[in-house]
Amino acid sequence: MNFNQELDDIVNYEAGKPVELLVREFGIKPEDVIKLGSNENPFGYSPKVNDAIISGAKKASFYPDDSMFELKDAIAHKYNIKSNNIIIGAGSDQVIEFCIRAKCRPNTKVLMAKVTFAMYEIYAKQVGAKVIKTSSNHHDVNEFSSLYDEHKPEVVFLCVPNNPLGECLDKDAVFNLISQTSKETLVVIDGAYQEFAKSKDKNKAIEPKELLEKFENVIYLGTFSKAYGLGGMRIGYGLAHPEIIKALSKLRPPFNIGILSLDAAHEAIKDQVFVQSSVSAVLKEMLRYEAFAIENSIEFIPSWGNFITFVLEEKYSSTQVCDWLLKKGVIIRNLKSYGINAIRITIGRADQNNRVLELLQEFFSSKHKL
Ligand SMILES: *Cc1c(COP(=O)(O)O)cnc(C)c1O
C-alpha cells in the first residue's frame, strides 16, 4: 500500500525503554529496575496527587471538563497570566504538534538546533515541512540568527535547557534572538526543564509573563512530565497570546486530556514544595556525576536539566555501555540515534546513583575500552 510520501523520510521516535522490557527479557524484578532513561522525577509525584487520582477515579465514566477551567485557572495563577493565554495538551508534545500544524504546509521551513528534542523534526516532517538545522550540536545564537535571515522559517524551536544535551541559552540570548524575528514567525520556547534551570542559575530563568508581555509571536511550553513527576499522565501546556491560543485550539481534539490527568496536574501544581525539594535533590546529586566524569576522564556536557550527558568520544561505545547496564537492570539513554556517541543519564535518587556510578566505574575499567 502507498502512504503519504512525507512518511518515507521519518525515523520513528526512539522512546526510553520501559521497566517491563527488563522484566520480560532478563527476569529482573520490577522493583529492582533503575529507570533513568526518560528524565522522569525519581521521587515520583507529590503525595497529594495520590488522593486526587483515587477520588478522580469515581468520575471515570464521565467525559472530562473540556474547558479545563480549573487547571487553566491554577496555571494562570502560578504564572500571573490569564486563562486565555493557555492551551493544554496530552503532554507538551501535543502542543508542539499543534504549533507545527497551525503554521506549516509542505516545504514550509522550520529552524532548530542540530541535536535537540526529536519530536520537533518528526512533527515538521509529518506535514512535509523542511527542517533547517544549525551545524553545531548545541544552540548557537549566531547560527540561529544567520539561518533565520537566510531561510525566513515559519517556526523556530529553542529548547532551553536543551534535551538531550543539557546546555541552556541565557534568558538574554533567547530574548535577543526573538527580537530579531518577524511577527509572522512562531518562536517556540520549550521550557520542559525550566524548573531545574531556574533553580540552578537565574540567568537561565524565563518568566512566561515577561516573555508574553515583550513578544506577540512566542509560545512557551511547559510539562507535568519532568519536575512534577507525572509522565504517565500525559499532560503539558502552551502559554501564548490569545490570538495564538485561539488558532491552536482549532487543532485540539475534544477531551484530549483524561479526567485523572486533569485532577492530578491540578493537585501537583499546588504543591510547589514537593517540586522544589525534588529539584534541589537532583541538582545536588548531579554534582556526583560531574565529579565521576572528571575522575574518569570522561567528557561531560554541563547540564541545566535533570540529566547529564557523557560524551564517549573514541574511548567507549554508547551502545555497549547501554546494553551492558540494561542487563544489570539500569536503563539510561543511548544518544546514538541522535548521531553522537554519547549517553544521557537522568539523575536519580542517591541510592540509585550509588548503584549506577558503581556500575559505570566497573564498565569504564579498561576491559571495555574500544
Ligand atoms: C519531555 C520533553 C517534552 C514533553 O514531554 P511531554 O511528556 O510530552 O509533556 C517536551 N520537550 C522536551 C525537550 C522534553 O524533554
Side-chain angles (χ1 to χ4, degrees), residues 10 20 39 67 160 174 247 268 294 298 307 367:
I10 295 176
E20 291 79 357
N39 299 341
S67 76
V160 278
V174 172
I294 292 165
I298 305 281
F307 54 88
K367 66 179 177 196

Side-chain angles (χ1 to χ4, degrees), residues 91-93 96 117 120 159 163 190 192-193 223 225-226 234-235:
S92 58
D93 237 291
I96 297 169
F117 190 50
Y120 309 152
C159 192
N163 176 20
D190 190 338
Y193 303 95
T223 178
S225 302
K226 308 289 161 55
R234 310 304 307 122
I235 186 157

Side-chain angles (χ1 to χ4, degrees), residues 115 137 164-165 301 309 318 334-343:
V115 178
N137 287 348
L165 298 182
I301 303 173
T309 295
S318 62
N334 185 358
L335 298 187
K336 192 161 180 261
S337 63
Y338 286 87
I340 46 179
N341 182 31
I343 53 174

Side-chain angles (χ1 to χ4, degrees), residues 165-355:
L165 298 182
E167 98 279 3
C168 188
L169 290 175
D170 280 351
K171 176 207 137 184
D172 289 348
V174 172
F175 277 41
N176 188 30
L177 257 181
I178 303 169
S179 68
Q180 297 169 41
T181 58
S182 130
K183 283 193 165 43
E184 284 305 316
T185 306
L186 180 60
V187 182
V188 182
I189 307 296
D190 190 338
Y193 303 95
Q194 268 288 318
E195 289 86 358
F196 300 95
K198 71 165 142 238
S199 179
K200 180 170 176 163
D201 181 349
K202 65 177 182 346
N203 293 323
K204 311 293 184 190
I206 294 176
E207 224 19 86
K209 184 180 170 63
E210 187 190 0
L211 188 70
L212 302 194
E213 271 168 7
K214 288 219 163 85
F215 307 105
E216 282 171 29
N217 62 320
V218 295
I219 182 163
Y220 175 96
L221 305 184
T223 178
F224 287 95
S225 302
K226 308 289 161 55
Y228 287 90
L230 292 174
M233 285 291 173
R234 310 304 307 122
I235 186 157
Y237 51 88
L239 313 177
H241 264 251
E243 188 197 11
I244 295 176
I245 298 299
K246 226 166 129 184
L248 301 187
S249 299
K250 295 183 180 180
L251 298 162
R252 186 182 67 82
F255 312 116
N256 58 327
I257 312 296
I259 207 161
L260 298 185
S261 303
L262 286 171
D263 285 356
H266 186 207
E267 212 45 49
I269 203 167
K270 289 196 250 168
D271 193 353
Q272 290 298 319
V273 172
F274 171 81
V275 174
Q276 206 42 55
S277 76
S278 307
V279 167
S280 305
V282 160
L283 293 178
K284 183 165 162 248
E285 285 293 306
M286 171 117 57
L287 302 175
R288 299 177 60 198
Y289 283 89
E290 293 177 356
F292 172 89
I294 292 165
E295 266 164 39
N296 289 276
S297 304
I298 305 281
E299 195 192 319
F300 71 93
I301 303 173
S303 168
W304 280 265
N306 63 342
F307 54 88
I308 190 163
T309 295
F310 287 177
V311 183
L312 304 179
E313 301 167 284
E314 308 293 304
K315 293 191 214 155
Y316 305 94
S317 139
S318 62
T319 305
Q320 271 182 28
V321 191
C322 292
D323 290 351
W324 187 83
L325 284 175
L326 213 55
K327 294 197 185 92
K328 311 261 176 197
V330 174
I331 305 171
I332 61 166
R333 194 74 149 83
N334 185 358
L335 298 187
K336 192 161 180 261
S337 63
Y338 286 87
I340 46 179
N341 182 31
I343 53 174
R344 188 197 69 194
I345 307 165
T346 304
I347 310 299
R349 299 184 309 267
D351 60 304
Q352 297 176 312
N353 300 329
N354 291 344
R355 173 80 177 141

